[in-house]
């Protein structure tokens, strides 16, 4: 699990907060912006163009502005996953209320809407790659293959950990250690409340993301 945590230092998470070494993509500074919302901010709008659905019925719709329209066209699967997840919309709306670099506000959104974290992050990533111009008004974050694998393959563990302040802080702390055992021991001592929830993330990484994360 040590190598997995060290690799997270490139960043994972979502929304405008943290720094460039944040293992969850909580960057608010230069060198890559982030957001749990990204184009999802547009999901709070009204009306729009229908997306593909079975039997001719729209599975999801955009909201009549460039960002959500681009997301629906370029990131349909991600967009519709979030669109169909009430917690994803609530999470995005909550995160957009946070001031840049307000980690406490973002953590409150993670805790309040844990089931929306992964869908929000993955849509944000797709928007960053496919709709940077259309969604330029929103913070975006381009995830690495390792980070994408963790969210896709370890969604329950990631959501559960990030919803717990001590677990999220423990992941950040361990990532900053870059494999230094003494440092890691200090992290576990500083954030004991995160241990039980962080273990499944590392276990899942070693089981499902070895190629992507080098674990």
């Amino acid at each position: 699990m040590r190598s997995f945590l060290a690799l997270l230092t490139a960043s994972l998470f979502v929304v405008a907060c943290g720094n460039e070494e944040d293992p969850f993509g909580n960057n608010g500074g230069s060198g890559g912006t982030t957001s749990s919302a990204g184009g999802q901010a547009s999901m709070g709008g009204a009306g729009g163009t229908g997306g593909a659905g079975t039997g001719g019925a729209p599975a999801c719709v955009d909201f009549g502005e460039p960002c959500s329209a681009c997301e629906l066209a370029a990131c349909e699967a991600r967009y519709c996953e979030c669109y169909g997840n009430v917690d994803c919309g609530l999470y995005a709306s909550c995160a957009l209320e946070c001031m840049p670099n307000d980690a406490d506000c973002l953590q409150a959104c993670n805790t309040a809407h844990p089931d929306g974290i992964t869908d929000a992050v993955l849509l944000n990533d797709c928007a960053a790659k496919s709709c940077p111009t259309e969604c330029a008004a929103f913070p975006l974050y381009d995830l690495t293959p390792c980070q994408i694998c963790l969210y896709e393959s370890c969604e329950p563990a990631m959501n559960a950990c990030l919803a717990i302040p001590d677990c999220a802080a423990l992941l950040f702390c361990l990532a900053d250690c870059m494999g230094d055992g003494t440092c890691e021991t200090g992290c576990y001592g500083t954030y004991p409340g995160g241990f039980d929830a962080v273990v499944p993330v590392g276990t899942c990484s070693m089981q499902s993301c070895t190629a992507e994360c080098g674990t």
Side-chain angles (χ1 to χ4, degrees):
M1 186 166 74
R2 180 175 300 174
S3 59
F4 146 71
L5 292 166
L7 285 166
L8 283 177
T9 187
S11 72
L12 266 175
F13 226 141
V14 258
V15 192
C17 117
N19 57 58
E20 292 183 13
E21 296 304 314
D22 184 326
F24 308 111
N26 267 331
N27 299 310
S30 61
T33 53
T34 71
S35 172
S36 64
Q40 293 177 66
S42 63
M43 297 189 70
T49 305
T54 58
C60 50
V61 298
D62 67 51
F63 294 103
E65 44 67 58
C67 183
S68 64
C70 180
E71 286 181 325
L72 181 55
C75 312
E76 183 176 349
R78 301 288 196 209
Y79 183 88
C80 291
E81 282 290 325
C82 183
Y83 187 93
N85 180 349
V86 173
D87 246 14
C88 185
L90 292 172
Y91 177 69
S93 296
C94 178
L96 284 174
E97 295 298 318
C98 298
M99 295 295 290
N101 302 312
D102 189 342
D104 289 339
C105 179
L106 178 60
Q107 183 60 59
C109 296
N110 296 336
T111 301
H113 308 292
D115 291 339
I117 295 173
T118 288
D119 286 344
V121 175
L122 292 175
L123 175 58
N124 179 268
D125 170 67
C126 187
K129 291 179 170 73
S130 302
C131 305
T133 300
E134 294 84 353
C135 298
F138 306 109
L140 299 173
Y141 187 75
D142 190 344
L143 300 179
T144 67
C146 174
Q147 295 161 357
I148 291 172
C149 182
L150 289 171
Y151 280 110
E152 289 183 333
S153 301
C154 308
E155 178 175 355
M158 288 293 289
N159 286 354
C161 177
L162 296 177
I164 301 170
D166 257 17
C167 188
L170 178 56
L171 276 178
F172 293 132
C173 185
L174 290 170
D176 286 341
C177 289
M178 299 299 291
D180 184 291
T182 301
C183 175
E184 290 178 349
T185 298
C187 292
Y188 288 118
T190 302
Y191 304 107
F195 180 80
D196 288 344
V198 82
V199 169
V201 178
T203 299
C204 180
S205 172
M206 289 186 286
Q207 293 174 341
S208 303
C209 299
T210 55
E212 295 83 356
C213 298
T215 50

